[in-house]
Amino acid sequence: MNKSELIEHIAKQADISKAAAGRALEAVIGGVKTTLKKNGTVSLVGFGTFSVTKRAARTGRNPRTNEAIKIKSAKVPKFRPGKALKDAVN
């Protein structure tokens, strides 16, 4: 399912227009992004938790030259599914 299909699904399930569903989806995604930027977490009970973790700096290899390169530390988004979502999939 891609974004436009998800918007269509939301519009049909909530009995709203596709434009309103698109704005609602963008608002949810924007809220998650804003919270994660501030190193917060977003917990949706039954669905899962979005959070930010730190990846440590490390040494890697350039596959073309086999030369060692330094990879900077980074913040990475993480999603941990909730029990209800796991049960729905299995």
Side-chain angles (χ1 to χ4, degrees):
M1 176 181 276
N2 61 30
K3 189 175 180 179
S4 62
E5 292 169 339
L6 182 58
I7 289 171
E8 193 172 317
H9 178 76
I10 292 169
K12 199 177 290 181
Q13 292 294 314
D15 196 26
I16 57 176
S17 70
K18 284 185 185 180
R23 288 191 304 272
L25 181 61
E26 288 298 324
V28 169
I29 292 171
V32 171
K33 281 183 188 177
T34 302
T35 303
L36 293 180
K37 264 187 190 177
K38 296 176 184 175
N39 286 329
T41 61
V42 178
S43 296
L44 302 172
V45 176
F47 184 71
T49 303
F50 296 92
S51 60
V52 177
T53 59
K54 287 195 175 194
R55 187 184 308 155
R58 62 193 192 279
T59 303
R61 293 236 171 248
N62 181 335
R64 284 190 182 170
T65 63
N66 208 21
E67 175 186 339
I69 57 172
K70 290 182 182 176
I71 302 171
K72 294 181 193 177
S73 64
K75 293 186 212 174
V76 251
K78 179 180 168 184
F79 176 73
R80 198 172 68 239
K83 183 179 182 335
L85 181 60
K86 287 179 193 175
D87 291 345
V89 172
N90 290 321

